Amino acid sequence: MTRARSVQISRTTTGGEMGEMPTTARVDKQWLGNNRRKDEPEWELVSKEINNDNFREFFIGNGYIGQLVPSEGEGSWLIPDLRKHPGWQQAVGGCQVHGFTDRASLMDVPRWAGFRFYDGRSWYSRSNGIHENYAQTLNMKHAYVKTELDWFSQEDQNGIRQKSHMETMMWLSRTNRNLAAIQYEVTPYYDGTITFEDTLDGTMCPEESSDWQTNSFLHGSMSLSAQMGYHRRKIVLLSNLLTPGYGEEIQRIEDTERSRKRTLSMPVENGKTYTITKLVGIYTELDGPDLENQGALMLWYAKRN
């Protein structure tokens, strides 16, 4: 994202502080060259530690949507940054949309990036299990974050851990400003069943947000909508799951007052790689009428192409 002027993309590979980032709208080539490892491509920054209190989350955007990417590579684990002024704590969902309220400012919106992985024993996170060969890469030229690691989950009663090799990629489309995606490639080194949890979550949004609604559509899309901001403008988030056909099954859809969650489970074989993609549409009143059907149609088209 070449228009990012904040220090949100300030994660380092050494745990130290970066030099001051340029305040111009263009990322300065000399600044980028001085703040990267010698073995990194020029437009990439890489973190080798999943747990480091000195790091800030990477930040990507497409000029309309901005998104923080936590160490796990997906958005279920975003928490308030206590180093920020309390007035900024509402950004716990990690997602902001430009021009939603006054056509000039960024506004925090419901979290779309929740996409958890369960290996049959425990949920993947930075605080659970053992993490080896970890690398998270921010590509500032193409606006994506890739996270790769070997994860050994909780021990069973015999003290044995299950190993999963995981690659996640989160990106925001530049050709369609309303489209976002998270892709998992998981290689389990065990036979069994794995589960993905797809969440659209508005629980962290301001209390004055109102008229929360959930819905389901043909071809697998689900939605969460609300009225937000001083002008009570409508926002709709939709998600759909792209699965090439692994005998998967949608097991459960669960609604709360401000969220919708569903799980997808599938049988897996030792050493085989499985790819699952979560496609998301984010629409506001600025995108015209009939936002739900606009988004469902866009996701259906994205799945087919």
Side-chain angles (χ1 to χ4, degrees), residues 12-300:
T12 72
T13 59
T14 63
E17 293 297 326
M18 280 188 163
E20 183 178 355
M21 187 172 182
T23 55
T24 59
R26 186 180 299 276
V27 174
D28 183 80
K29 184 176 182 179
Q30 181 178 358
W31 175 88
L32 183 58
N34 291 338
N35 289 282
R36 65 182 178 88
R37 291 162 29 126
K38 298 300 183 183
D39 58 344
E40 290 175 1
E42 194 164 272
W43 284 97
E44 292 186 350
L45 297 176
V46 181
S47 167
K48 295 291 188 178
E49 299 179 62
I50 193 170
N51 285 297
N52 190 321
D53 292 337
N54 293 320
F55 290 161
R56 297 290 184 93
E57 287 87 0
F58 284 147
F59 184 87
I60 55 175
N62 64 2
Y64 179 59
I65 302 168
Q67 178 66 42
L68 290 169
V69 185
S71 299
E72 287 82 358
E74 57 89 21
S76 296
W77 309 100
L78 286 164
I79 58 176
D81 188 337
L82 299 180
R83 292 167 294 189
K84 294 181 180 179
H85 187 276
W88 293 93
Q89 290 303 321
Q90 291 179 349
V92 294
C95 184
Q96 297 177 315
V97 171
H98 178 263
F100 182 30
T101 52
D102 58 10
R103 300 182 183 272
S105 302
L106 290 167
M107 180 174 179
D108 303 318
V109 297
R111 179 175 61 195
W112 64 269
F115 199 30
R116 293 202 297 168
F117 169 70
Y118 181 75
D119 74 339
R121 294 183 181 176
S122 57
W123 294 100
Y124 158 65
S125 76
R126 75 188 73 178
S127 60
N128 182 23
I130 297 174
H131 312 83
E132 295 184 355
N133 305 312
Y134 176 86
Q136 186 173 67
T137 302
L138 167 66
N139 186 302
M140 289 188 282
K141 187 172 185 178
H142 300 290
Y144 68 79
V145 173
K146 180 179 179 180
T147 309
E148 183 174 2
L149 76 154
D150 294 316
W151 178 55
F152 298 81
S153 63
Q154 290 180 352
E155 295 180 350
D156 64 11
Q157 58 185 3
N158 297 316
I160 299 175
R161 299 179 184 271
Q162 292 189 150
K163 175 184 176 181
S164 302
H165 179 76
M166 304 169 59
E167 295 184 24
T168 63
M169 184 174 292
M170 185 187 297
W171 72 94
L172 305 172
S173 173
R174 292 188 174 186
T175 57
N176 183 339
R177 72 174 193 170
N178 304 97
L179 178 63
I182 304 175
Q183 183 177 82
Y184 266 100
E185 287 189 4
V186 178
T187 305
Y189 292 94
Y190 48 87
D191 296 326
T193 300
I194 62 175
T195 299
F196 295 89
E197 183 183 81
D198 170 20
T199 304
L200 301 174
D201 182 13
T203 56
M204 80 298 297
C205 292
E207 293 183 1
E208 61 268 20
S209 304
S210 61
D211 195 23
W212 290 90
Q213 297 182 25
T214 58
N215 209 340
S216 298
F217 300 86
L218 293 175
H219 312 298
S221 289
M222 70 176 189
S223 71
L224 175 72
S225 64
Q227 305 285 336
M228 297 187 68
Y230 177 80
H231 298 290
R232 291 293 184 268
R233 289 178 171 159
K234 185 174 183 178
I235 185 168
V236 177
L237 281 72
L238 305 97
S239 73
N240 207 320
L241 300 179
L242 176 59
T243 58
Y246 298 128
E248 63 276 357
E249 178 183 358
I250 301 290
Q251 288 191 322
R252 183 182 74 253
I253 292 181
E254 178 183 329
D255 290 339
T256 67
E257 182 181 356
R258 293 186 171 207
S259 69
R260 168 160 279 205
K261 179 190 304 180
R262 62 180 166 186
T263 58
L264 180 147
S265 297
M266 67 180 70
V268 294
E269 300 176 10
N270 188 342
K272 185 176 180 179
T273 299
Y274 300 83
T275 303
I276 306 294
T277 305
K278 176 178 178 175
L279 300 171
V280 176
I282 302 175
Y283 286 82
T284 73
E285 286 187 3
L286 302 178
D287 294 302
D290 202 8
L291 302 180
E292 286 89 350
N293 285 325
Q294 270 196 71
L297 182 62
M298 184 272 290
L299 294 182
W300 174 78

